């Protein structure tokens, strides 16, 4: 198998080759598997194996075909149909089968697929959507997630300086609330561990397992603005600054800005000229300042058909309330910081 193709498919096992049985025909065939089109890739895995007991070279003892679901390719389910070498020890008669590096023993999903599940879930993608993308079912994802969780070998004496806690929908079978958390190294975005529950009690019991020294070494923790566990973080990670997830900050600023506009409207009272103007231009108030039009003038029904640009409309709205103007300036500052990643 060509190294470029391996790179494209994300296969790392150096011993995997095209099945010699398919040498003169196409080794990739299109097949209908469980009512959907799939690509079946015929491969062969063999390498010299030494007996773990006697250390002698083992004899070839036939082959066995194993199907592994891999990352989908060209929008189709990709199945690696691997003919694995079986071995027999001439001394102690022990038998073994060649091991494929990219899949755990007894798994029929490659590790890359499982890593993708975790990544997708941490982005809060709905389980059914992830399942459809990977041509599998939600139940299969949960099962593989359980095994991923068991596979994390967590070092309780170390934590990265920059941690990130991400919520994701994991489903009721995995967590009582249906929501779990991913513990992520914020620098290289590697998943350190999966925490099934995200309530305070569970999180405390979980983090207390890490040594005090490990917890002291954490400098920043990025979380969303979900408040309940913030005080817990302060208690367990005394040296850490809490960084609010940017996206959530913007959402909150947006909501707060809108609330102030509605309050000013209500102070003027329904039916007033100010009420109608503030109601009509709600979108303009939330727009990023950089995108506000300064050049084009239109007659405005709310201002006796005066020809005004968007930016002049904003000025007239600010004349109605100084509080609204202050809130607007603060809101724009946050948007700018978000845009500039500051
Ligand atoms: Zn042996």
């Amino acid at each position: 198998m060509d190294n470029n193709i391996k790179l494209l498919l994300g296969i790392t096992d150096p011993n995997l080759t095209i099945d010699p049985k398919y040498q003169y025909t196409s080794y990739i065939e299109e097949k209908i598997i469980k009512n959907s089109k799939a690509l079946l890739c015929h491969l062969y895995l063999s390498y010299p194996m030494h007996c773990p007991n006697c250390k002698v070279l083992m004899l070839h003892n036939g082959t066995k075909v194993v199907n592994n679901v891999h990352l989908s390719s060209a929008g189709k389910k990709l199945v690696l149909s691997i003919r694995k070498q079986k071995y027999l020890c001439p001394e102690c008669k022990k038998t073994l089968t060649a091991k494929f590096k990219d899949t755990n023993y007894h798994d029929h999903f490659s590790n890359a697929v499982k890593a993708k599940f975790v990544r997708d879930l941490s982005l809060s993608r709905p389980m059914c959507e992830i399942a459809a993308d990977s041509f599998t079912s939600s139940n299969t994802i949960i099962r593989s997630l359980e095994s991923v969780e068991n596979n994390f070998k967590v070092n309780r004496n170390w934590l990265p300086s920059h941690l990130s806690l991400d919520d994701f929908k994991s489903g009721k079978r995995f967590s009582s609330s249906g929501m779990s958390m991913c513990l992520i190294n914020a620098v290289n975005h590697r998943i350190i561990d999966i925490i099934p529950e995200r309530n305070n009690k569970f999180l405390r019991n979980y983090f207390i397992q890490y040594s005090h020294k490990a917890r002291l070494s954490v400098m920043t923790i990025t979380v969303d603005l979900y408040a309940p566990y913030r005080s817990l973080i302060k208690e367990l990670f005394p040296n850490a600054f809490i960084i609010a997830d940017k996206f959530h900050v913007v959402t909150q600023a947006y909501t707060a800005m809108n609330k102030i506009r509605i309050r000013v409207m209500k102070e003027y009272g329904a039916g007033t000229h100010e009420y109608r103007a503030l109601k009509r231009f709600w979108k303009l108030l939330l727009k990023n300042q950089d995108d506000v039009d300064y050049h084009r003038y239109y007659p405005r029904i709310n201002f006796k058909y005066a020809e005004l640009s968007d930016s002049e409309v904003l000025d007239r709205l600010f004349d109605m309330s100084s509080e609204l103007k202050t809130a607007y300036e603060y809101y724009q500052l946050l948007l700018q910081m978000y845009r500039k990643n500051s």
Side-chain angles (χ1 to χ4, degrees), residues 118-119 121-122 152 163-168 180-185 191-195 222:
V118 175
R119 219 160 45 230
L121 285 168
S122 71
F152 278 108
L163 259 184
S164 167
L165 289 174
D166 278 12
D167 295 336
F168 68 92
S180 298
M181 279 222 280
C182 246
L183 192 64
I184 296 168
N185 182 336
I191 295 167
I192 300 164
D193 202 359
I194 291 171
I195 312 167
T222 310

Side-chain angles (χ1 to χ4, degrees), residues 230-342:
R230 306 191 104 215
S231 57
L232 181 75
I233 291 173
K234 282 196 179 123
E235 177 197 326
L236 292 169
F237 302 94
N239 291 339
F241 278 105
I242 298 178
I243 300 175
D245 197 307
K246 283 189 303 191
F247 180 73
H248 295 274
V249 173
V250 172
T251 317
Q252 292 228 334
Y254 184 95
T255 323
M257 180 70 211
N258 231 356
K259 266 191 193 158
I260 290 169
R261 179 186 60 88
I262 291 164
R263 202 175 64 225
V264 173
M265 263 169 67
K266 283 183 179 160
E267 277 164 17
Y268 277 104
T272 58
H273 148 72
E274 287 85 358
Y275 184 98
R276 281 196 303 266
L278 287 165
K279 190 176 171 125
R280 187 181 182 96
F281 294 107
W282 69 276
K283 266 190 190 164
L284 188 57
L285 279 165
L286 293 173
K287 209 173 185 176
N288 196 306
Q289 216 164 9
D290 299 344
D291 304 329
V292 171
D293 198 330
Y294 290 81
H295 306 295
R296 278 174 292 180
Y297 294 81
Y298 305 102
R300 309 287 181 162
I301 186 167
N302 292 79
F303 300 102
K304 296 179 181 162
Y305 296 97
E307 300 242 338
L308 301 171
S309 70
D310 279 352
S311 103
E312 284 170 336
V313 169
L314 280 175
D315 288 338
R316 294 222 177 181
L317 295 177
F318 297 147
D319 286 343
M320 296 173 188
S321 160
S322 61
E323 189 195 2
L324 189 73
K325 186 167 194 260
T326 315
Y328 181 82
E329 280 161 3
Y330 190 64
Y331 170 74
Q332 290 298 337
L333 190 70
L334 274 170
L335 285 193
Q336 254 180 44
M337 285 183 347
Y338 174 68
R339 275 202 168 177
K340 290 177 183 159
N341 268 327
S342 154

